[in-house]
Amino acid sequence: MAPDTHHTEVGSASGSPFAATRAAAAVMDARGVLVGWSAGAEQLLGYEAAEVLGQSAASLLSTAGRAAVLTAAADLSHEAAQGRQGGATLRCKDGRDQAVALRAHPWVGPDEARFWLLLAAEEAETRRWEEDLAVLSGLFNQSAVGLLVSDTDLRCTRRNLALERMTGVPIGQRLGKRISEALPGLNAAEVETVMKRVLATGEPVLDFIQRGLTPADPSREHVWSTGIFRLQDSEGTALGLCHAVVDITDAHRARERMQLINEASIRIGTTLDVGRTAKELAEVALHRLADSVTVDLLDSVLRGDTPTPTPGGPADQGLTLRRAAHETVLESTRPPKALAVGELSRFGPASPQALCMADLEAKCIAHLDLTAPWLDEDPKRAAIIRATRVHSLIAVPLTARNVLMGVATFYRWRDPEPFDDDDVTLAAELASRAALSMDNARRYTREHKTALALQRSLLPQRLPVLNAVEVAGRYQPAGSDTDLGGDWFDVIPLSGARVALVVGDVPGHGVQASATMGRLRAAVHTLADLDLPPDELLTHLDDLVARLTEEEGGGRDEPHADGPAIGATCLYAVYDPAERRCTLASAGHYPPAVAGPGGSVDFPEVPAGPPLGLGGLPFETTELDLAEGSLLVLYTNGLILARDQDIDIGLDSLRRILSQPEPALEDVCDQLIAALLPFRPPDDVALLVARTRALGPDRVASWDLPLDPAIVVDARAAATRQLDLWGLQDLAYVAELVVSELVTNAIRYGKPPIRLRLIHDQSLICEVSDGNSTAPHLRRAHTDDEGGRGLFLVAQLTDHWGTRYAARGKIIWAELCLPQ
């Protein structure tokens, strides 16, 4: 058996100050006379051999301490003495005193003669050597740092007890072997590569990390920090290597846990999506904590609803959850899944998952018994656990703000080390972070669904079917289909078969922008019902926005006012199919695109008034004569600026697409959205496309009437003949009464010119215009009144009636529904 060298004194004979090649040596006979003198002695004291041989050894002692040395020498018994060491002060040839460490060894010469071999070394050098020896001896025999010395062939020549305890390999099985031979469970090839580099370069390596399994602890991977430096002689020749090894497993794992927690704070909760957050939790915990991770959530959490705690706890009630995430290690060893993501999941009352959801405390089974009865509560899941030989698991409830949302389960089946208390703490920390993000996502989902419902209710549910125009529209939210914005469009039927086309943009995003958009849209509908011209309508809308801003604490006079609709833009257009004329006014909005039937595309100049709420400048109108079949395209700025391009580039793209439009307006909208918008547009977009139609002479009849009461009879007769031509004889009686009352009212209270017009549209429209701008008022006549019943009769006989103002005068109109 090899000697147990790690218990021997560390150091070599050549390094000792008492080595034969270094010490001052003299030989003294039994009488105390010097009979031998070495070159070292001559160098130490300065005496040549001829000067001291035959002299008493005591003659070399200094006066100081001579008595003590002689007394100690007299006590020496040659037969019993095995050598003695002490201190002495010698007298040098030059008169100085030299303190030395002195060793005396008995020696029997020829003829049984008795001698003493005296070895002396400078006391300071001896003390340094003894201190060095003590340090090395302490490191090898007492220190907790593992030490190993290897030769130039990388084979172990010496090792201390601490390293043996770390590795569990006895010294007899380690000496003379390389690391790859003695400890194959370590990253031996990497270690030996580093050792060769240190031998070749002489540059030490500090904090080299080794990890692996050893016989001392075969079920748990350990981590060591190793320092490796080269050993060399005084000539610089490499003698081997020294390794200083410290077990840093606990510190390394604590650092890894902290790094994992820091990483979790970055990687978990990157989106406001519950399912994505569950997947992020599973991905972060995989590999470094568990071999498989599952996350099961309550259905209500996935829907964004508030989970309702069940009296008695989930364990008693058997809550049903849904698999939200499942991650496992290497694909080549991926076990089959008990449940796919999205499937319903139930846990038996005795399962650790159900128990942890009942008391909201993490449950750890460090050593799983695969025959445990609770496994049989779910045979499918039990079969997977047994097939993969899961040996340890942790179940952690997912809770935030005292609300239970689900459970996360961490399994180990590939990593042989069981879960411990530190792992439970780490799993609970990861689950807590994920649960908070899930709860934020759940709240966001709930509030966002409410906001989306609000926005959808504020936007047009369906566009009206009109004879004046064929329309199609699109609303594209910013970012994704779930983002809220303030852009809107509208199609509003007006009197006289006309139609109002509206597009607007409230700055910003979110619920406030959407709610403000709804208020503005409602205001436009109300103002449109008054049949206001576009410029007047925008003036009233501007005043409304100013009032909204004042309600929010800002105002027009405050330069930094930032009300909910300050800066909103709007384009309002009214198209009259009878005259094929479009009247437009803009509040800081882009002009429409007009595509003629021949393919020409133009962007007419519309005076751009100030955005709504700023005030200061009046709004102006522009009139366009549109050929039948023209396309009128209204849009918000998000359509032409979506790709961060210059506005001219966006307008050119719009012109190119509209120059050869698709026959169907829905296809035109799809083509514009696909060509001009990226997958996730940075701003929301409202788009409205209208193809104009015309009401020709076969649908419109008009008569200029003199200011003569007798003409009423002729007007009634002309209306009756026209209804006969249109096949509307069923409406003749009521129409005659309406025409009679409206014409009579215009002659009695109006001014010339007086004009009667009938329009055959989706209803029969009777219009009488005159040059007086005074609006009539509906009132209830008394029994003794001779007049005042005309408008009352019109209101009772027709479906709708009203008054609108023209450039000169007014128009009173009434609508009669066509017979079915």
Side-chain angles (χ1 to χ4, degrees), residues 708-725:
D708 181 2
I711 200 64
V712 175
V713 176
D714 295 337
R716 293 175 59 178
T720 301
R721 289 193 297 271
Q722 188 61 48
L723 292 181
D724 288 340
L725 292 176

Side-chain angles (χ1 to χ4, degrees), residues 203-222:
E203 296 181 3
V205 171
L206 304 177
D207 198 25
F208 176 72
I209 300 300
Q210 295 176 258
R211 63 174 68 225
L213 303 175
T214 65
D217 193 356
S219 63
R220 183 189 186 201
E221 183 182 69
H222 281 251

Side-chain angles (χ1 to χ4, degrees), residues 477-818:
S480 69
D481 291 338
T482 60
D483 288 335
L484 294 173
D487 290 13
W488 93 95
F489 64 86
D490 223 330
V491 179
I492 306 173
L494 301 177
S495 63
R498 299 169 306 135
V499 60
L501 305 173
V502 192
V503 67
D505 183 357
V506 174
H509 298 90
V511 175
Q512 186 181 45
S514 184
T516 302
M517 174 269 288
R519 298 177 75 174
L520 294 184
R521 179 172 178 255
V524 170
H525 270 264
T526 301
L527 296 172
D529 268 350
L530 299 177
D531 265 326
L532 295 176
D535 54 342
E536 292 186 27
L537 184 142
L538 292 182
T539 300
H540 286 287
L541 196 62
D542 180 68
D543 291 337
L544 172 64
V545 172
R547 288 196 299 273
L548 292 177
T549 302
E550 291 172 0
E551 292 176 4
E552 296 294 326
R556 286 180 175 176
D557 297 333
E558 299 181 26
H560 301 292
D562 188 19
I566 284 291
T569 64
C570 182
L571 179 65
Y572 186 82
V574 175
Y575 175 68
D576 187 341
E579 300 181 0
R580 293 184 291 105
R581 180 169 298 157
C582 183
T583 306
L584 308 96
S586 170
H589 205 86
Y590 288 100
V594 178
S600 62
V601 180
D602 188 25
F603 296 94
E605 292 186 6
V606 179
L612 298 173
L614 298 182
L617 294 175
F619 298 100
E620 301 179 41
T621 60
T622 297
E623 292 188 348
L624 305 175
D625 290 326
L626 302 179
E628 185 176 7
S630 298
L631 287 185
L632 186 64
V633 181
L634 287 69
Y635 51 88
T636 54
N637 60 356
L639 182 70
I640 56 177
L641 300 177
R643 297 186 182 273
D644 295 327
Q645 58 193 2
D646 185 85
I647 183 174
D648 291 333
I649 298 176
L651 293 176
D652 288 342
S653 300
L654 184 60
R655 186 194 307 273
R656 174 177 48 81
I657 296 171
L658 293 178
S659 62
Q660 295 179 338
E662 296 289 336
L665 293 189
E666 295 291 341
D667 294 338
V668 173
C669 291
D670 292 340
Q671 188 178 20
L672 290 173
I673 293 294
L676 297 177
L677 296 186
F679 176 67
R680 293 184 180 274
D683 194 10
D684 48 337
V685 175
L687 171 66
L688 180 61
V689 180
R691 178 176 284 124
T692 63
R693 294 169 178 162
L695 294 178
D698 60 331
R699 290 281 182 167
V700 180
S702 61
W703 300 270
D704 293 324
L705 304 176
L707 193 64
D708 181 2
I711 200 64
V712 175
V713 176
D714 295 337
R716 293 175 59 178
T720 301
R721 289 193 297 271
Q722 188 61 48
L723 292 181
D724 288 340
L725 292 176
W726 286 339
L728 300 177
Q729 294 87 351
D730 292 345
L731 295 178
Y733 178 73
V734 176
E736 286 181 10
L737 287 177
V738 171
V739 168
S740 177
E741 294 298 333
L742 293 182
V743 171
T744 300
N745 192 71
I747 293 174
R748 179 175 298 179
Y749 302 106
K751 296 179 182 179
I754 299 175
R755 184 181 180 87
L756 168 64
R757 185 168 74 163
L758 297 181
I759 301 174
H760 182 193
D761 190 39
Q762 293 178 337
S763 61
L764 176 64
I765 303 171
C766 301
E767 294 182 346
V768 176
S769 61
D770 68 85
N772 190 351
S773 298
T774 303
H777 296 285
L778 181 66
R779 66 185 180 89
R780 184 182 296 275
H782 298 288
T783 56
D784 55 349
D785 288 343
E786 294 183 1
R789 297 177 178 83
L791 288 181
F792 180 78
L793 288 174
V794 170
Q796 296 301 310
L797 295 174
T798 62
D799 296 283
H800 305 284
W801 78 279
T803 303
R804 69 176 184 270
Y805 293 92
R808 296 176 57 187
K810 64 180 181 296
I811 301 172
I812 302 178
W813 57 270
E815 291 186 7
L816 295 171
C817 287
L818 300 180

Side-chain angles (χ1 to χ4, degrees), residues 307-448:
T308 303
T310 305
D316 296 335
Q317 300 299 325
L319 284 185
T320 298
L321 299 93
R322 192 174 296 274
R323 178 60 49 86
H326 180 265
E327 295 293 328
T328 189
V329 294
L330 304 176
E331 186 72 29
S332 59
T333 59
R334 181 179 294 273
K337 295 181 180 179
L339 293 172
V341 173
E343 290 187 25
L344 293 179
S345 174
R346 291 182 65 90
F347 295 99
S351 67
Q353 292 89 345
L355 294 175
C356 82
M357 287 190 290
D359 60 12
L360 303 184
E361 295 290 339
K363 298 293 183 287
C364 176
I365 302 180
H367 302 282
L368 177 61
D369 180 5
L370 295 179
T371 63
W374 65 267
L375 285 172
D376 296 328
E377 295 176 352
D378 187 342
K380 185 177 180 181
R381 183 178 282 110
I384 301 299
I385 290 176
R386 288 166 178 154
T388 54
R389 305 198 65 80
V390 172
H391 61 83
S392 190
L393 70 84
I394 301 174
V396 183
L398 294 170
T399 61
R401 303 178 179 96
N402 296 322
V403 173
L404 174 67
M405 292 178 289
V407 61
T409 311
F410 306 85
Y411 299 92
R412 279 188 181 169
W413 46 273
R414 186 169 175 267
D415 185 346
E417 187 175 344
F419 286 118
D420 57 21
D421 291 342
D422 290 338
D423 294 322
V424 175
T425 301
L426 178 58
E429 177 66 23
L430 297 179
S432 175
R433 290 174 181 264
L436 184 60
S437 297
M438 290 177 188
D439 192 49
N440 291 336
R442 176 189 64 79
R443 289 166 175 255
Y444 170 80
T445 300
R446 180 188 62 192
E447 295 175 3
H448 209 59

